[in-house]
Amino acid sequence: MSDFGVYHALGQQDAENDPNGQQQPVAPPNFQPQAMPPPGGYQQGGAQYAGNPQGYQQSPYDPQGVQQSYFPPQGTLQPTEGGLGGLPAQMGGMAISGDPSAAGAGRAGKKKNRHAYHNLEQAAPSPGTAGAPQGSQYFAGDPSQQLAPGGQYLNQPITPAMNQFPAQANAPFNPASPVTPMEHAARDGLSRSGSQSIAASGGPGSQQGRVDPDQIPSVPVSRDGPALYYLDHVYPTLEKHLPPPAVIPFVAHDQGNSSPKFARLSINSIPTTAESLASTGLPLGLLLQPLAPLQDGELPIPVLDFGETGPPRCRRCRAYINPFMTFRSGGNKFVCNMCTFPNDVPTEYFSPTNPQGVRVDREQRPELMRGTVEFMVPKEYWAKEPVGLRWLFLIDVTQESLNKGLLEAFCEGILNALYGSDTEETEDGAETKRSIPEGSKVGLITYDKEIYFYNLSAELEKAQMIVMPDIEDPFVPLSEGLFVDPYESKDIITGLLNQLPTMFSQIKNPEPALLPTLNSALAALSSTGGKIVCSLSALPTWGPGRLFRRDNGTAAPNNDAEKKLFTTEHPSWKKCGEKMVQSGVGVDFFVATAAGGYLDLATVGHVSATSGGEMFYYPNFHAPRDSLQLSKEIRHTVTRDTGYQALMKVRCSNGLQISSYHGNFVQHTFGADLEFGTIDADKAIGVMFSYDGKLDSKLDAHFQSALLYTTASGERRVRCHNIVASVSEGGREGMRFVDQDAIVNLIAKEGRWSLKPPLPSASRMTERSLKDIRGAISEKTVDILAGYRKNFSGSHPPGQLVLPENLKEFGMYMLALMKCRAFKGGSEPSDRRVHDMRMLKSMGALELSLYLYPRIIPIHNLSDEDGFPNSAGHLVLPPTLRASYSRIEPGGVYLIDNSQTLLLWLHASVSPNLLADLFGPTYTTLSSLDPFMSTLPVLETHLNCQVRNILRWLEGVRGSKGLTINVARQGVDGSEYEFARRLVEDRNSEAQSYVDWLVSVHRFIQLEVGGNVFSLTDGRQCMPWLATGSVGGRDGKCDSRSTAGVVAPKTLSMERHDQLPANEKARREHGPGHAAAIRALEHGVLEALVDALSDVVLGAVIKAHPPALLFGEGRLAWRDSVGEVVCSRQTGVGGQPHGASGKQASAPVSEPK
């Protein structure tokens, strides 16, 4: 096992805080699957999948009877001359090279250990390193090349046979060897300096014009290293190191501070003042997932009952008793850690203290030892008499649901959720294991144009149906029998669900009346509260609350018409959601449509988002493929930890105050409690804090969340999470103790901290254009990284990109956030955008991290040990790959999991032997595979067992969505487009590649560090491109001409700053964008004028700085000092052209005459 310092979050070897050096419990095996052992008698002839594929022994299931490799024949592999080079010269020698001392363990307090050094210059490769520092976990080579010993490609340089480049750097251009669009998107960053460039097909160019992708921060490396460490180590919650990455499984030892699975602070060392926090650019927030599931090996959450008096609380701020409250006066008083108010200890809670002021019974009090506890509460905390959770299933029986197979699949899913296949032994014999706790009941309602209620009483022989034809004013016709114990009425429920598809096969009503059905269900649950699980297959166009098709595909991006598609305009649907929250009712939708049909999810999904529910969306539902996933997700919905009638309150220390909440809930007034109809284990809430004073650096900052809810078993409880953070002078320590997963999640949920008025991400999608949101994300990225470079990184060469140690992958996550369906550029169905936007608002850290950067596992080169448990019971997993097509090997097979769906991608040249071992002896070609398969067959082959074990492991570490296989065959299936979209490091979704993104971000960091900023009318400072809300061209989009001719000054004197052509009068007349654009033009900044500038502002700019060229159809362009076009704008501003040329031309901007 590697040294503790390697995976220590701060990169330090601190003996005092080293969990290996303390007496701590050893982590129990956190994965002990029912793994398939290697099949007996299966002889592979000594061949290894990763060790010697060319010598692979013929499979006994191979129908061809010939020996064949898993890889297609390739020529002799020759190393590429020069390797991969550095960055362009115009970046001022910008470098992303690693300093070995920065990545490894070092002395505490060294500035080098607080950030990573990335050198983008040409590095002299040493033997066996190819330019990467040895011993560095952060700058190791591609994980895909870290194969088992004896692997075919082990320790070999990237060659044309393995890389996206079809020829060596100096090879002549060969138009007869074109690249695919995916290979073109995966190309490395090329120089935009002057005329130096490399064609996508491998034309001549300079080695200085490339960026080595292995030398930039790698998300897979940042995950795989800690994952190995925490297999054998426990995470102690009070030690001085950061929480593990959210996507890796780990066992947390609660020492009084809540586990990161429940709560993550964005900054674990909080600056004392708002000014110090502003210097970091970081948001101060808390990510809460209050009902998150525990991992095997972790202690259960203690449930404490203080009787009728309830748990002790502070009389001033009402905080609950916790481990950080102190006792004095011999135990007669306790001092609140939130507001410092001294409270009298209740008589029944009194205990003497020892000379150190510690209660003598502290170790017997879980509320004083554990960071997360639950309190049973007395009747004064009740809104209604708590009962077991009522589950009400609303089943769509319209013609569309029947034709799609949704009706049959949904009924099968309910049966699987309630009864499944698990049994447990009892004295009377084997009986079905309960999926829901004692006291919970279920009911069934079907609907089309009418509503059908069912009496499921166990005293009946079969279910009785009652039809409600009057949907204008529906009511509940049953007082008994609607909700029953599912195990007492098992035969009746099973018989009804099996008969429903046949019963409604002759009743073909095409239009569903959804809103009246929801109101009827709400009336049935209003007295108790509960959970609604509803299926929907068509736009609800019948009855009250009928909806109409709003999205006809003609709305242009970034205009008001598109923003209206993201909002809920029907008042009846809004009223329904509010009533559900008041009654303690939540709803989960299972929405299925064929070929992406429109269902107005902005309106329908508002009810689930408001009530704390969830929407499971199947935009291309095909029953043979998606029924299994639907069944798994219904089962997960029913069996996960769920509470209802929930209220939440978050408290913090003096000097801080709550500024906003973000998530799916209702808050009637600011400062009021958050209200949830239901809340489950997969829901997360973001809480933002601001300063109302100055913190004391001698004291810690404390936070407490309290969730009052009713459990599924019918108990009223309060779940408390207590979080503590140190307080430090300045922002340097805050940068060292930053939680990257929490930062990314909070920005995705809110992200409003960059511009005024705010430009949030998911929270304000209905108020701001998508272009503004992408611009705000870009600005926040540069703001954080530039703040660190300017204030905390020390002295470094100006061309060096210096990243915070714990934010190295932050830029990649922000680029992926701009590429996600919620915010991406280009056209996208409004239903897909709205669905993903609401997912972002409720996702936890684990699910969001995978959603932004998927986990890619190669399965064609697995070693013999991969996919099976080791001696400690942990599953051995292969290294994951970077999300780029350049890492894809010919003939490869890959699992791509983004926490929503899992793709099984197969290269067109995949070996028939591999297909036979994975799918069966009858499958030897891609065309023979079933494109609608959703699971692997059970075979007695080594590879098949390995992959099934890996899939079983993935199913437990991905979030709320069911795991099934979606086959994506190269050049055959349409799902390959989804595969290409998940390669987020490549240029796709109308956004830059990872390399180009880092280059653009670093360029703007240099501008800000060099002083190239200007003041806006409100006193803030901003960089030129930020006035237009754009980075890297337009909204992060970049092309080969985007940096041509850019001449950015190194410094800017204060005298020049004070002599801006746009005086205060002009600023007030035309707005801040006028001064921004003029100043940017003076200094040749490319992104000075983009579409965000209004024509009024642009007219003032033209008057002050006439354009050099006027192209056809009103396109303006400006030249820099060397005559290159640096910026252009399509505009309707009138006027004759001015400048040196003054003539019209139809040539593109990249080729000025």
Side-chain angles (χ1 to χ4, degrees):
M1 177 52 62
S2 301
D3 184 77
F4 164 73
V6 177
Y7 302 116
H8 192 284
L10 300 180
Q12 301 175 1
Q13 290 181 325
D14 189 349
E16 180 181 355
N17 299 318
D18 187 349
N20 293 343
Q22 301 181 15
Q23 297 297 325
Q24 295 182 6
V26 179
N30 53 14
F31 179 79
Q32 295 182 352
Q34 299 176 359
M36 304 298 177
Y42 178 64
Q43 303 296 331
Q44 299 190 48
Q48 298 179 358
Y49 288 106
N52 188 13
Q54 302 237 352
Y56 172 71
Q57 185 69 26
Q58 174 196 351
S59 168
Y61 304 108
D62 189 353
Q64 298 184 5
V66 295
Q67 294 185 2
Q68 190 168 359
S69 168
Y70 272 13
F71 295 92
Q74 299 183 12
T76 304
L77 303 180
Q78 299 294 337
T80 304
E81 294 183 4
L84 295 176
L87 236 188
Q90 99 270 9
M91 299 304 299
M94 166 184 169
I96 294 190
S97 76
D99 186 343
S101 62
R107 286 189 303 129
K110 282 283 189 179
K111 293 182 179 179
K112 293 182 178 180
N113 295 330
R114 299 176 185 173
H115 49 257
Y117 297 83
H118 305 291
N119 194 346
L120 291 185
E121 292 180 344
Q122 178 80 17
S126 59
T129 62
Q134 298 183 3
S136 172
Q137 67 167 5
Y138 302 109
F139 304 103
D142 180 10
S144 64
Q145 302 176 30
Q146 301 172 6
L147 306 178
Q152 180 180 0
Y153 299 127
L154 184 62
N155 295 329
Q156 293 197 17
I158 295 178
T159 65
M162 301 154 60
N163 195 275
Q164 73 273 24
F165 295 105
Q168 297 182 6
N170 296 325
F173 174 72
N174 183 10
S177 302
V179 297
T180 65
M182 195 177 298
E183 290 173 329
H184 179 74
R187 68 192 187 280
D188 289 335
L190 305 179
S191 173
R192 312 303 199 259
S193 178
S195 61
Q196 294 183 2
S197 63
I198 299 179
S201 56
S206 170
Q207 289 295 320
Q208 292 294 334
R210 299 181 183 174
V211 178
D212 187 350
D214 289 334
Q215 296 301 310
I216 59 179
S218 170
V219 173
V221 170
S222 69
R223 293 172 175 175
D224 291 347
L228 290 175
Y229 175 80
Y230 283 105
L231 284 178
D232 300 314
H233 296 81
V234 170
Y235 171 74
T237 60
L238 267 182
E239 302 294 340
K240 286 188 176 180
H241 54 268
L242 288 172
V247 299
I248 70 170
F250 63 93
V251 174
H253 175 45
D254 191 340
Q255 298 176 320
N257 194 32
S258 287
S259 167
K261 298 174 183 177
F262 299 117
R264 283 177 176 263
L265 271 174
S266 60
I267 307 174
N268 290 274
S269 183
I270 301 175
T272 55
T273 62
E275 291 75 15
S276 298
L277 178 65
S279 67
T280 67
L282 296 171
L284 178 57
L286 178 65
L287 180 65
L288 290 168
Q289 193 171 345
L291 299 181
L294 296 172
Q295 185 161 314
D296 292 341
E298 293 181 334
L299 295 175
I301 297 175
V303 180
L304 310 175
D305 189 356
F306 286 86
E308 294 299 325
T309 60
R313 303 181 64 180
C314 175
R315 288 191 295 128
R316 175 188 287 176
C317 68
R318 304 300 293 162
Y320 290 85
I321 190 73
N322 62 76
F324 304 102
M325 288 186 175
T326 58
F327 291 83
R328 68 185 191 188
S329 300
N332 289 291
K333 288 185 178 294
F334 68 91
V335 180
C336 178
N337 59 317
M338 301 289 173
C339 63
T340 67
F341 182 76
N343 298 267
D344 294 329
V345 175
T347 304
E348 62 275 10
Y349 193 66
F350 172 78
S351 174
T353 58
N354 61 18
Q356 288 74 33
V358 179
R359 286 174 60 114
V360 296
D361 66 343
R362 178 181 176 86
E363 295 185 358
Q364 286 74 44
R365 292 284 187 179
E367 71 275 13
L368 301 180
M369 296 294 295
R370 304 281 295 276
T372 298
V373 295
E374 283 196 337
F375 300 108
M376 301 288 292
V377 293
K379 291 185 178 181
E380 61 186 84
Y381 291 81
W382 295 3
K384 301 175 183 178
E385 182 75 21
V387 296
L389 184 60
R390 274 29 179 179
W391 293 90
L392 186 55
F393 295 93
L394 307 184
I395 307 174
D396 181 1
V397 293
T398 59
Q399 180 181 358
E400 190 72 14
S401 177
L402 185 65
N403 295 340
K404 291 176 183 175
L406 176 63
L407 174 57
E408 183 177 358
F410 195 72
C411 292
E412 292 177 355
I414 296 175
L415 290 173
N416 178 57
L418 294 179
Y419 309 114
S421 57
D422 296 334
T423 60
E424 60 182 4
E425 296 292 335
T426 62
E427 296 179 358
D428 300 332
E431 67 175 26
T432 302
K433 183 179 179 180
R434 295 187 66 97
S435 299
I436 59 177
E438 294 280 353
S440 297
K441 296 184 178 182
V442 300
L444 296 175
I445 295 178
T446 59
Y447 71 98
D448 46 24
K449 295 171 66 175
E450 299 173 337
I451 306 174
Y452 309 88
F453 295 84
Y454 296 90
N455 187 341
L456 305 175
S457 176
E459 300 175 356
L460 301 175
E461 294 183 0
K462 61 179 181 180
Q464 294 179 347
M465 181 173 70
I466 302 176
V467 182
M468 176 65 63
D470 183 12
I471 61 175
E472 295 293 333
D473 188 17
F475 61 92
V476 181
L478 293 174
S479 59
E480 298 290 339
L482 180 60
F483 293 101
V484 297
D485 187 299
Y487 302 98
E488 294 178 358
S489 304
K490 178 179 179 181
D491 294 338
I492 295 177
I493 294 176
T494 303
L496 175 61
L497 291 175
N498 289 331
Q499 293 176 7
L500 282 180
T502 304
M503 290 170 55
F504 289 92
S505 61
Q506 303 300 324
I507 306 175
K508 298 182 178 180
N509 290 327
E511 298 176 294
L514 179 58
L515 185 59
T517 306
L518 291 174
N519 288 328
S520 298
L522 177 59
L525 293 169
S526 59
S527 61
T528 61
K531 185 67 173 282
I532 298 173
V533 180
C534 178
S535 65
L536 179 66
S537 62
L539 184 68
T541 57
W542 189 265
R546 64 178 64 88
L547 301 178
F548 303 94
R549 184 179 183 87
R550 295 191 293 164
D551 186 1
N552 54 12
T554 60
N558 300 317
N559 62 8
D560 293 337
E562 184 189 41
K563 286 188 290 185
K564 288 183 179 180
L565 298 177
F566 306 148
T567 61
T568 305
E569 297 183 344
H570 204 295
S572 298
W573 290 85
K574 295 181 179 179
K575 186 177 180 180
C576 179
E578 294 173 359
K579 286 185 176 180
M580 284 191 174
V581 175
Q582 294 174 3
S583 302
V585 178
V587 57
D588 284 353
F589 284 108
F590 289 81
V591 179
T593 178
Y598 179 69
L599 293 177
D600 197 357
L601 297 189
T603 301
V604 175
H606 174 80
V607 179
S608 61
T610 302
S611 62
E614 186 172 0
M615 177 169 287
F616 297 85
Y617 182 40
Y618 308 89
N620 297 289
F621 183 81
H622 185 70
R625 178 192 61 204
D626 300 324
S627 293
L628 178 60
Q629 181 179 358
L630 175 68
S631 177
K632 287 186 175 183
E633 290 174 352
I634 295 175
R635 181 175 178 83
H636 179 75
T637 297
V638 173
T639 57
R640 66 185 172 187
D641 194 5
T642 303
Y644 68 104
Q645 297 181 20
L647 298 172
M648 174 178 276
K649 181 74 172 180
V650 179
R651 299 174 175 87
C652 56
S653 294
N654 288 337
L656 296 174
Q657 62 182 356
I658 296 172
S659 59
S660 60
Y661 293 94
H662 300 279
N664 291 336
F665 51 81
V666 169
Q667 187 181 24
H668 294 290
T669 59
F670 181 76
D673 294 347
L674 307 185
E675 299 182 29
F676 303 85
T678 59
I679 186 170
D680 56 65
D682 298 311
K683 298 300 180 293
I685 301 98
V687 187
M688 302 305 303
F689 301 98
S690 60
Y691 288 81
D692 63 354
K694 182 178 180 180
L695 297 178
D696 188 351
S697 59
K698 298 179 182 180
L699 303 175
D700 291 331
H702 297 271
F703 306 85
Q704 184 184 79
S705 73
L707 177 70
L708 174 64
Y709 72 108
T710 304
T711 66
S713 59
E715 294 180 342
R716 194 70 171 164
R717 300 178 182 175
V718 171
R719 176 170 291 195
C720 288
H721 300 291
N722 299 284
I723 306 97
V724 63
S726 62
V727 178
S728 60
E729 296 285 350
R732 184 177 299 274
E733 291 298 306
M735 274 293 188
R736 294 180 58 205
F737 291 90
V738 63
D739 187 337
Q740 181 173 258
D741 289 307
I743 293 288
V744 171
N745 200 294
L746 291 171
I747 289 178
K749 282 180 168 56
E750 200 249 6
R752 71 172 194 158
W753 23 79
S754 51
L755 295 179
K756 296 179 181 180
L759 297 179
S761 297
S763 296
R764 306 284 177 173
M765 189 172 168
T766 59
E767 302 176 12
R768 294 289 174 177
S769 68
L770 298 176
K771 184 175 182 179
D772 289 340
I773 292 174
R774 292 192 297 269
I777 296 173
S778 300
E779 178 187 349
K780 192 60 188 175
T781 304
V782 177
D783 189 24
I784 292 175
L785 300 181
Y788 177 78
R789 182 69 173 87
K790 197 164 46 170
N791 302 316
F792 310 112
S793 65
S795 177
H796 300 282
Q800 194 171 53
L801 176 60
V802 184
L803 301 177
E805 176 64 24
N806 295 307
L807 288 176
K808 293 191 305 299
E809 300 80 27
F810 175 71
M812 180 65 253
Y813 281 114
M814 291 295 97
L815 177 62
L817 183 61
M818 290 191 293
K819 289 184 176 184
C820 75
R821 276 200 168 93
F823 309 133
K824 66 181 286 292
S827 61
E828 189 75 20
S830 61
D831 280 353
R832 300 296 293 269
R833 287 198 189 274
V834 170
H835 175 254
D836 282 37
M837 177 267 291
R838 289 194 172 124
M839 279 200 316
L840 290 176
K841 291 177 64 177
S842 63
M843 275 182 174
L846 183 153
E847 196 169 358
L848 179 63
S849 182
L850 283 178
Y851 173 77
L852 295 179
Y853 197 99
R855 183 189 284 122
I856 302 180
I857 300 177
I859 62 175
H860 58 280
N861 53 12
L862 297 175
S863 66
D864 286 343
E865 296 78 16
D866 289 338
F868 293 106
N870 57 17
S871 58
H874 304 303
L875 192 73
V876 180
L877 295 171
T880 55
L881 301 186
R882 301 183 73 148
S884 173
Y885 191 74
S886 62
R887 312 295 169 156
I888 302 301
E889 296 180 358
V893 182
Y894 299 87
L895 298 173
I896 304 97
D897 181 22
N898 73 338
S899 78
Q900 306 301 306
T901 56
L902 183 138
L903 296 178
L904 176 62
W905 187 83
L906 301 101
H907 193 274
S909 303
V910 64
S911 167
N913 290 345
L914 186 149
L915 295 178
D917 282 352
L918 189 58
F919 300 105
T922 59
Y923 301 99
T924 57
T925 62
L926 290 183
S927 59
S928 64
L929 296 178
D930 180 8
F932 303 124
M933 72 169 61
S934 59
T935 185
L936 286 179
V938 179
L939 304 176
E940 292 186 359
T941 63
H942 196 80
L943 178 64
N944 183 271
C945 294
Q946 288 176 302
V947 177
R948 283 189 288 114
N949 286 338
I950 292 174
L951 291 176
R952 183 177 290 119
W953 179 84
L954 290 174
E955 194 165 16
V957 291
R958 67 193 307 264
S960 64
K961 303 302 187 295
L963 185 142
T964 57
I965 289 175
N966 290 270
V967 177
R969 298 168 292 179
Q970 186 183 29
V972 178
D973 297 315
S975 53
E976 192 186 5
Y977 290 100
E978 178 66 16
F979 165 72
R981 197 185 66 82
R982 294 186 186 183
L983 301 179
V984 291
E985 291 198 16
D986 295 339
R987 181 182 175 185
N988 50 27
S989 300
E990 300 197 9
Q992 295 170 284
S993 67
Y994 184 24
V995 172
D996 289 339
W997 167 248
L998 281 183
V999 171
S1000 298
V1001 168
H1002 181 261
R1003 181 184 301 116
F1004 299 130
I1005 291 174
Q1006 287 181 308
L1007 290 175
E1008 182 166 344
V1009 172
N1012 291 336
V1013 297
F1014 54 85
S1015 299
L1016 301 182
T1017 54
D1018 60 1
R1020 293 178 294 119
Q1021 287 190 331
C1022 189
M1023 286 177 286
W1025 82 96
L1026 297 183
T1028 64
S1030 175
V1031 170
R1034 297 187 175 101
D1035 310 320
K1037 295 181 287 186
C1038 182
D1039 54 30
S1040 59
R1041 66 190 182 219
S1042 63
T1043 58
V1046 175
V1047 180
K1050 297 296 182 182
T1051 58
L1052 180 65
S1053 65
M1054 185 59 67
E1055 180 180 1
R1056 183 71 177 275
H1057 179 80
D1058 294 336
Q1059 296 175 356
L1060 287 176
N1063 56 22
E1064 188 64 27
K1065 180 179 179 181
R1067 289 181 183 178
R1068 295 176 180 176
E1069 180 180 358
H1070 301 295
H1074 172 231
I1078 291 179
R1079 184 169 184 79
L1081 283 174
E1082 286 185 334
H1083 297 283
V1085 179
L1086 168 69
E1087 286 77 14
L1089 296 177
V1090 293
D1091 294 338
L1093 283 179
S1094 66
D1095 288 342
V1096 175
V1097 172
L1098 185 60
V1101 173
I1102 294 173
K1103 184 177 180 181
H1105 289 263
L1109 298 174
L1110 177 63
F1111 293 108
E1113 301 180 358
R1115 179 171 288 279
L1116 305 175
W1118 281 260
R1119 292 180 182 273
D1120 63 1
S1121 58
V1122 295
E1124 296 289 345
V1125 173
V1126 298
C1127 185
S1128 65
R1129 159 72 190 263
Q1130 188 78 26
T1131 180
V1133 179
Q1136 295 297 323
H1138 299 276
S1141 177
K1143 60 181 180 180
Q1144 294 187 0
S1146 59
V1149 176
S1150 57
E1151 300 175 2
K1153 295 184 179 180

